[in-house]
């Protein structure tokens, strides 16, 4: 996806994947800075620790409390910090890492564009209270969802998110547990679904998908998770996490390059890689 976008923009860059142990994250970021990388993407479990490992946090990272994109910057002749793409000839030695979060906006965009669900005023059952669940919950609250129901295997983690929402968005109605009435959206932020034999990420004895109008699963591989299969059988509108992956990645490319990402080129490359079409 990223290399297709980079090529379409005519940039002499290459996007590579590195497997970094959590204990080595600081060293990895420092090494990328020393080698004058344009930027980085971070995924689980690096998004929260990275908050303490960059010199500057963009407002998006401050708001959502996680870093999934880093842009390296250097001081220009004016003394202002600028992205490394602004230095085509020689990059100065003094470089800093600036952390961003592109996940939250990608969630809202995927719901609207891929699922046809406007979060504002919607009733939502959110499954999972990990890093992705926390970001999703806070973003939904900021969008003004009607009612937000939180479910997590460890109730204490969900209670922590509920408390944070009540503190930051006092008007938001947030409830622990399953809804008694129909909801507009069920969102899965857990990893359940990565394997075909995984159980559903909720208790079918306490909630039925026939009470949901739409289902969004952040898992994008396999293309049809057990949750999405069951949701289609119940007549729900469905979407997987492919759109969210695309939108957060496209925004990262724009942050690094300062140019509009070629979204359809990136979408085609992603679909070919993930779904084989």
């Amino acid at each position: 996806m990223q290399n297709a976008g980079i090529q379409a923009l005519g940039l002499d860059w290459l996007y590579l994947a590195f497997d970094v142990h959590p204990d080595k994250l600081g060293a990895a970021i420092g090494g990328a800075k020393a080698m004058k990388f344009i930027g980085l993407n971070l995924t689980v479990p690096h998004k929260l620790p990275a908050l303490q490992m960059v010199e500057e946090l963009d407002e998006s990272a401050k708001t959502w409390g996680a870093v999934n994109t880093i842009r390296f910057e250097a001081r220009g002749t004016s003394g202002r910090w600028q992205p490394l793409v602004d230095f085509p000839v020689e990059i100065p030695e003094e470089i800093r890492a600036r952390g961003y979060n592109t996940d939250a906006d990608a969630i809202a965009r995927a719901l609207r564009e891929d699922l046809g669900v406007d979060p504002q005023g919607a009733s939502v059952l959110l499954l999972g209270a990990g890093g992705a669940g926390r970001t999703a919950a806070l973003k939904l609250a900021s969008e003004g969802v009607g009612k937000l129901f939180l479910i997590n295997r460890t109730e204490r983690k969900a209670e922590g998110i509920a408390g944070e929402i009540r503190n930051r968005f006092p008007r938001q109605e947030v409830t622990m547990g399953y809804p008694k009435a129909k909801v507009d959206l069920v969102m899965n932020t857990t990893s359940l679904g990565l394997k075909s034999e995984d159980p559903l990420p909720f208790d079918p004895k306490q909630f039925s998908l026939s009470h949901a109008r739409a289902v969004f699963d952040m898992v994008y591989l396999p293309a049809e998770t057990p949750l999405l299969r069951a949701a289609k059988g119940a007549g729900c509108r469905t979407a997987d996490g492919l759109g969210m992956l695309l939108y957060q990645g496209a925004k990262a490319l724009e942050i690094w390059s300062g140019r509009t990402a070629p979204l359809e080129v990136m979408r085609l490359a992603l679909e070919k890689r993930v779904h084989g079409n």
Side-chain angles (χ1 to χ4, degrees):
M1 172 182 72
Q2 291 290 13
N3 282 324
I6 287 166
Q7 184 177 4
L9 292 178
L11 297 166
D12 187 21
W13 298 355
L14 184 64
Y15 188 92
L16 299 170
F18 298 91
D19 188 9
V20 176
H21 190 277
D23 292 345
K24 303 294 184 183
L25 178 59
I29 294 173
K33 184 195 304 182
M35 290 186 287
K36 301 180 179 179
F37 278 34
I38 290 291
L40 299 172
N41 276 144
L42 305 175
T43 188
V44 176
H46 299 319
K47 296 180 184 182
L48 298 182
L51 287 165
Q52 312 301 323
M53 298 180 184
V54 297
E55 288 83 5
E56 184 72 17
L57 288 173
D58 177 71
E59 195 60 37
S60 60
K62 294 178 184 177
T63 299
W64 309 118
V67 170
N68 77 311
T69 299
I70 289 175
R71 184 178 75 184
F72 293 110
E73 302 173 336
R75 288 191 187 274
T77 53
S78 65
R80 185 168 54 88
W81 289 102
Q82 299 172 234
L84 297 194
V85 71
D86 289 352
F87 301 89
V89 179
E90 185 175 353
I91 297 174
E93 290 302 317
E94 186 183 3
I95 296 174
R96 75 173 184 182
R98 183 181 182 93
Y100 294 78
N101 184 292
T102 67
D103 284 335
D105 287 347
I107 292 170
R109 184 173 181 181
L111 290 178
R112 290 189 171 98
E113 297 190 14
D114 300 345
L115 198 54
V117 172
D118 186 345
Q120 186 174 10
S123 53
V124 181
L125 171 59
L126 183 66
L127 307 172
R134 177 180 175 276
T135 299
L138 291 172
K139 181 61 177 176
L140 289 170
S142 76
E143 293 277 336
V145 293
K147 295 180 180 179
L148 185 58
F149 300 89
L150 301 181
I151 293 292
N152 190 60
R153 183 179 57 186
T154 306
E155 191 171 313
R156 182 175 54 83
K157 291 184 71 174
E159 288 174 344
I161 293 175
E164 186 174 0
I165 289 172
R166 293 184 184 111
N167 182 54
R168 292 177 60 175
F169 307 98
R171 294 185 176 181
Q172 178 60 56
E173 185 176 343
V174 56
T175 303
M176 301 289 299
Y178 291 96
K180 303 301 182 184
K182 287 191 174 185
V183 294
D184 296 304
L185 174 68
V186 173
M187 177 182 286
N188 176 40
T189 71
T190 76
S191 60
L192 288 175
L194 288 171
K195 300 175 182 177
S196 59
E197 65 271 18
D198 278 347
L200 293 173
F202 65 92
D203 185 352
K205 295 179 180 179
Q206 300 198 58
F207 181 78
S208 170
L209 288 174
S210 63
H211 292 161
R213 295 181 175 86
V215 174
F216 181 83
D217 196 338
M218 282 193 184
V219 175
Y220 57 84
L221 191 64
E224 187 176 73
T225 62
L227 173 62
L228 293 183
R229 190 179 310 115
K232 289 176 183 177
C236 306
R237 299 198 309 278
T238 62
D240 63 18
L242 204 69
M244 178 185 166
L245 179 66
L246 170 67
Y247 301 136
Q248 64 81 26
K251 182 61 178 178
L253 182 55
E254 292 178 350
I255 288 169
W256 299 323
S257 67
R259 297 164 64 180
T260 301
L263 198 64
E264 290 311 309
V265 170
M266 298 174 74
R267 186 193 303 274
L268 288 173
L270 185 58
E271 290 176 347
K272 183 176 181 181
R273 173 66 181 87
V274 173
H275 294 163
N277 54 17

